[in-house]
Amino acid sequence: MKQRLFSFCGILLLTAMQASAQKNHDSASPPDITAPAQTPRAWLIDYQINDSFSGFEVMDSAAKYGRFFLGGEDHRFMEFNSAMELKLMRYLHKRGGVRNMILELGFARGYVLQQYINTGDSIWLDILDNTTGSDYMDMYRAMREWNRELPDSAKVIVSGIDVERYTDVPLLLLEQLLPDSGIPDDLLVGVEAIKGLARQIYHQGSSSYEEEDEEGYDNDASDVSAENYEVRPTLRLFLAQFDSLKPQYRSYLGKNFGLTDTLLRSLKQYLEWDDYEYTPFQYTFREKVMYDNMKALLLRYPKGKFYGQFGRCHAGTALQNGPCGWLNYNSISQKMSTLMPEPFRSHVVTIGYFYADGADDDEENDKNTQEQEVEAFAAETPEGSVALFSLDTLKKSYPVLASRYDFVLFNNITEEDFDYDEEEDYDYQSEYEFTHMSYVYHREWTKLGPLNQALQGFGLPLIADNLVMQGFDIAYFPTKWDESAGGRFSMLWLPTRNLRYGAQSDSMMRFNMFRAVSETSKDLLRSRHFNLAIGTGIGFAMSRLELKAADKPQNFLNPLPTERVLYRNPALLVSVAAHFRYALGPLSLGISGGVGRDLSRADWRYEGKRLPGTPKFAQHTKYLEATLGFVIKE
């Protein structure tokens, strides 16, 4: 009986405690929104892509202790987002030693971008150029320039941790990995099919860029599905062949097998993710893949610090229901801050991006929606500015934001008005490909002393040694600036000079020249508008001297008296020159200067035979040139 009484009393006590706890919980939730909210302090930041980090000092402490940094953007604002992604990476690299940059994109783009920023190779640039909108392509070029200047110990490491959700870059990369020669007969159909599909994707990307140039179209050649090229069935067939003939592929691919195998595993994830469309599996699978890839990166770089800029929902560390249209949504950031072992999970730092141009699409039904809380931060950001806010001391005033982010970044510049200093951002030694076609005005100073002495001895006119030639050139400046093999080909001619002499009006001396030179150049400075290069050249020149005398006298070159004598002087030339070209839209302006040397015997020839003892005419020159023309490829 006593035992039952004690049990009954215990149940009553436990019930009373639960009721009290529930009452306290109900009274604390939701927070008292009638209490005045604390005004957030705005730190106005310099958003230009430079080494000024004014305003970012509010993040200095986080930059030092953090290991995993994730900015959360609204994907609609591409121009601002691309600039801010690079700005924050540069800040965290400088203040926090962050080297690892993670992308909300798959393995393939991460690999290609890593190769490009490390090497500048035109192969990787070409793939990116045909699959990337102009805003992010500018960012990639700027990343390449910045990374090129960093020491090896500080260079950026790029990794794509997302599911492959697009097929353009993976297939163009796969095309590069499959050798063109030595294809075994049993692999021929599959290899040629993939190469054909890749060419279709490349062609579509090139066409999109033509539209972008003409109509302001923002290229997205991410998922080709043309009449004769269906991507998903082609991939499934190729993957099946690869798995069934793996030993043959290993032999055929050689050193490329490991990378190809990794790429194809990534494409299998793409097909699995695609099969999950319109089910909750799609977003839960995607976040799990990103989390698993981050764990793998931590094993590879155990002391690494990581930064990425993803969609805003991926950056929120709290369980979310609604803001992104997904319920019970556990983001990559939420997983990193709860599932990762210590000390890493305590070092996750998130930044929510918000914009004056667009209201937050929060669909939660409580009174403390994210959109309402953001209004306070918008009010503290002057028009035309970008501001950072720390949420560390604002958790009671802004509980929804503080549950998801450590910082808020508010952009009070409309996308239409947003502008950064492109001259400063991207113009210094950037990688831009140009081909110029120009008219050339050429003035040179050639040593004509021996020839003029002989002409004077026979009473013939003298030839001025400051010769003015004209012509045209084609100059090519490639994208791969630090290993460039740019070039120039020029053709010049000296208009015929008709010089009469003697008592007879029919006595005349004619002199003209022709020259063709091919050069190889090396860039010294490079930008989207100008190029400074030094080049070495080799060329051929021909000088012609014609004498016509009415009384058929002997002349200074040919002892035989004839009415008309034509002499030629061929020359083999080498030269060293510096070239400066400026491109403004389609217009090209340039100036060059150099020296040349004649490697030939410098003897005159008559009817193809060399005439020893004639006055030497070696074309050792110094010259200046001015060019005016058009950019025919940019």
Side-chain angles (χ1 to χ4, degrees), residues 440 470-473 489-493 514-517:
V440 180
Q470 301 178 64
F472 70 90
D473 77 355
F489 176 76
S490 62
M491 295 185 68
L492 304 170
W493 54 88
F514 167 82
R515 182 177 300 157
V517 177

Side-chain angles (χ1 to χ4, degrees), residues 42-48 72-74 76-85 309 312 351-360 374 377-389 407-420:
W43 296 73
L44 302 185
I45 65 170
D46 179 354
Y47 57 82
Q48 301 293 342
E73 65 176 42
D74 181 331
R76 293 173 296 176
F77 303 95
M78 290 184 290
E79 187 173 10
F80 173 80
N81 294 339
S82 60
M84 190 51 57
E85 186 168 2
Q309 187 169 294
R312 192 192 299 143
I351 311 153
Y353 294 11
F354 299 91
Y355 310 78
D357 246 1
D360 177 44
V374 168
F377 298 86
E380 297 302 313
T381 307
E383 186 176 348
S385 302
V386 181
L388 264 172
F389 301 84
F407 297 90
V408 163
L409 184 148
F410 193 85
N411 171 24
N412 202 4
I413 311 172
T414 64
E415 187 76 353
E416 198 174 76
D417 295 333
F418 179 75
D419 188 26
Y420 46 82

Side-chain angles (χ1 to χ4, degrees), residues 538-608:
I538 186 168
F540 171 80
M542 177 66 74
S543 302
R544 291 160 44 100
L545 182 65
E546 181 182 352
L547 295 170
K548 180 181 179 182
D551 55 356
K552 302 180 182 180
Q554 292 185 354
N555 57 69
F556 79 107
L557 292 177
N558 185 2
L560 299 176
T562 57
E563 180 178 348
R564 178 179 177 274
V565 182
L566 176 61
Y567 303 99
R568 292 181 173 87
N569 193 311
L572 177 64
L573 305 177
V574 293
S575 61
V576 177
H579 304 285
F580 177 84
R581 294 293 174 104
Y582 184 82
L584 184 60
L587 185 65
S588 169
L589 302 171
I591 187 169
S592 303
V595 294
R597 187 169 183 83
D598 185 350
L599 300 182
S600 65
R601 293 175 177 263
D603 292 322
W604 290 91
R605 298 171 183 264
Y606 175 71
E607 295 184 346

Side-chain angles (χ1 to χ4, degrees), residues 46-59:
D46 179 354
Y47 57 82
Q48 301 293 342
I49 312 298
N50 52 35
D51 289 325
S52 170
F53 300 112
S54 173
F56 285 89
E57 52 266 30
V58 67
M59 288 186 62

Side-chain angles (χ1 to χ4, degrees), residues 466-478:
N466 55 338
L467 304 176
V468 175
M469 305 179 74
Q470 301 178 64
F472 70 90
D473 77 355
I474 297 177
Y476 169 64
F477 304 104

Side-chain angles (χ1 to χ4, degrees), residues 302-313:
K303 296 183 179 179
K305 301 180 73 172
F306 302 83
Y307 161 72
Q309 187 169 294
F310 289 22
R312 192 192 299 143
C313 294

